[in-house]
Amino acid sequence: MQLIARRAESKDIAAIKKIIDHPVNGDEKELERILHRRYGDNVDIANLIDTSPFSLVITDAEDKYVLGFFVLSNGPPAIVDQEAMAQLISSPNKIEFVATSCGDWERYIKARFECKDLQIHNSKFVSFFVSTPENASQIIEIALSTSFNVLPQLKYICYLLPESLVLFPPFSSPKYIHPEFHDKHEDESHKKHHGHHKKKGSRGAKHNRRFKNKKLDEHGKYFSEAPSKSDSTPFCLYICPKKEVVSVMKIRKARVEDCDDLVPMLKRQNILQDKYGDFYLADLLESKNDASKTLVAEADGEVVGFMNLYRDIDQEVLANTFQLTHLDNLRKEDISANELISLPEDMVVINPFSSRRSTLTADPIKRKNSFATSYEDTDTRNPLSRPESQEKSGEQVIQNSTFVPPKEIIQPNTFCISLFCIEDMFANQAQEFIKAAFGLFPDRDYCVVTVPTTSPEIPLLRNFSLVQPQPNKDVGDKPMKIRKADKTDFGAIESLLHGLNNELETLTELKQIQSGSTKSS
């Protein structure tokens, strides 16, 4: 059965409650009582949808029936605080038990379980889950994979189960294996035994990559229990790592032998179009220029992404075209140019406007132009009344000194993405490329990318901030006109709305408005 996942909305409340009220052993309230034991008494579906950072409903392919509801929270659910409050009443000195769901849950969890990799920024907790029993395994697989794909920084999904309960299906069930994976596995086994092998790197070999990393292990489960540090812990912690659900990209430097895998992917996405594209890519991979770097992404042993980076940019063009003053025009002061200049141990510089002698000695502790200055008063007379010969003498000493203040040197502070390609399935993990890119240019603080104004937004751009163009600068925008829609626009509007959930309703409303305006005229 084909299922889809989408964000939960208020219109789904009735359908979710219908699942909860489904009779279990003839009792309509049995499932509700079970859910209260698992997630606490204060479970309100409307409140979960409104306040949770991430909630999903799993529906049929036509989005007519809600079959499951899955909610993640930023910290442990409220049932942990309820249990903590009960322990606080019996043991008033254990203040640290209070407000873990909205407080320092990381300290609370790590004090009780062996889970050093859990961090606030890479973990979320299951605060509610319910589904129809017939499709529970498939529903939890879709819910988990969607969560990891939509939230690229998410690495762990955790679940705190009261110690008095036993982990329940589908959390305790074996991993869901898609039927297509079974068919593909049997087909490949048949060809292997009959001496037929699929060519490496062919498009067919990459079919159904989503299920490629799922081993046919009937005992494999999504969640594993974290070891407890104390027998008195009232909860059991179960953790689902990202790598158990979806293929995780690994970024590395590109090699020449990657060319055979990259060319088909780049051509499928119309990046390499001419007959010389293969040679251009090979030149990039073989380049020894320090200003140009290339990265590839691997998943399940296959290349799934490519990025070319370039350090030498015409920054004047960028500064003249875009408003970059708040970013220092993507430049920075060269710190090494302002390091201390070695001076003689006691270089005497006479101030022409003072009869005091200044001894300047380089201070190795202070940065830039910091010097320790000691003054010796040799004359207390008014400096304006000094003899002219003394002024000239002072000027001569300064002119003959070898000390020259260091000049301020401004260096480029950015690099750019000149070529980027990634398989659609891994597009939400594109930020891993950015992390690796900054590692290649540790002296640069900004990464820039320019895209046509008519291009659709890609997940990579979520990590970037849009920079506005300079006034009266043409950066490729086409002039736009706004006018009243008429019946000749319906074809273009229909194409624009194609695939949206409210496509039919919007077109129907437009036709009604148009017919009404025609009658009135």
Side-chain angles (χ1 to χ4, degrees), residues 124 134 164-165 186 205 217 296 472 515:
K124 291 193 182 298
E134 297 83 6
S164 58
L165 301 180
E186 293 175 359
D217 182 7
V296 296
N472 303 321
S515 60

Side-chain angles (χ1 to χ4, degrees), residues 241-252:
K242 182 176 184 176
K243 63 181 180 180
E244 294 293 334
V245 181
V246 298
S247 300
V248 179
M249 287 194 328
K250 294 183 179 179
I251 310 298
R252 61 169 174 81

Side-chain angles (χ1 to χ4, degrees), residues 317-332:
V317 173
L318 287 177
N320 294 332
T321 307
F322 299 96
Q323 300 179 22
L324 299 172
T325 53
H326 63 292
L327 301 174
D328 297 327
N329 286 326
L330 302 180
R331 297 176 182 270
K332 65 178 178 180

Side-chain angles (χ1 to χ4, degrees), residues 207-256:
H207 181 61
N208 289 333
R209 185 184 287 109
R210 178 181 179 184
F211 312 106
K212 185 175 179 181
N213 67 328
K214 305 291 181 61
K215 298 179 180 179
L216 290 175
D217 182 7
E218 297 300 328
H219 301 287
K221 295 180 173 60
Y222 295 114
F223 288 84
S224 58
E225 185 175 0
S228 176
K229 294 182 178 180
S230 172
D231 295 335
S232 60
T233 303
F235 291 90
C236 296
L237 176 64
Y238 293 89
I239 303 175
C240 175
K242 182 176 184 176
K243 63 181 180 180
E244 294 293 334
V245 181
V246 298
S247 300
V248 179
M249 287 194 328
K250 294 183 179 179
I251 310 298
R252 61 169 174 81
K253 292 182 178 180
R255 299 187 290 260
V256 177

